[in-house]
């Protein structure tokens, strides 16, 4: 599970599944400011690749993003992650 906040305001939650997938989330345009905006992701858990014998990386990780887009769609904002 991941909680998404935009500029410090909760914007929604998504269930994240294993494997490479595409997720899209619509958010209120009222959460977007002109100029720079901050998107924060808070994941329910994180584990290190080391714990699974994948490699020696001991950082606690949750996901990997191939891309992240913020799009305007008919007056609403859309966040798309791959």
């Amino acid at each position: 599970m991941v909680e998404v906040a935009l500029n410090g305001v909760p914007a929604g939650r998504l269930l994240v599944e294993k494997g490479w997938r595409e997720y899209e989330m619509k958010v209120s345009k009222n959460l977007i400011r002109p100029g720079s905006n901050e998107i924060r992701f808070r994941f329910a858990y994180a584990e290190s690749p080391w714990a699974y014998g994948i490699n020696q990386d001991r950082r606690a990780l949750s996901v990997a993003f191939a891309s992240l887009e913020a799009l305007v769609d008919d007056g609403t904002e859309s966040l798309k992650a791959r």
Side-chain angles (χ1 to χ4, degrees), residues 10-48:
R13 289 182 182 189
L14 293 169
L15 176 62
V16 179
E17 299 180 37
K18 285 186 178 184
W20 288 101
R21 303 195 191 287
E22 186 171 300
Y23 297 92
E24 186 170 334
M25 180 178 152
K26 299 233 185 250
V27 298
S28 170
K29 66 180 180 178
N30 298 329
L31 297 179
I32 307 295
R33 299 186 297 225
S36 295
N37 289 272
E38 180 182 78
I39 301 171
R40 287 204 176 209
F41 300 94
R42 184 174 177 201
F43 295 92
Y45 71 93
E47 296 181 291
S48 72

Side-chain angles (χ1 to χ4, degrees), residues 2 4-5 7-8 10 15 17 19 23 25-27 45 49 56 58-59 61 64-65 71 74 78-79:
V2 60
V4 181
N7 298 316
L15 176 62
E17 299 180 37
Y23 297 92
M25 180 178 152
K26 299 233 185 250
V27 298
Y45 71 93
Q56 296 300 311
R58 292 180 183 251
R59 293 177 298 162
L61 306 172
F65 290 106
L71 308 166
D74 298 329
S78 178
L79 300 176

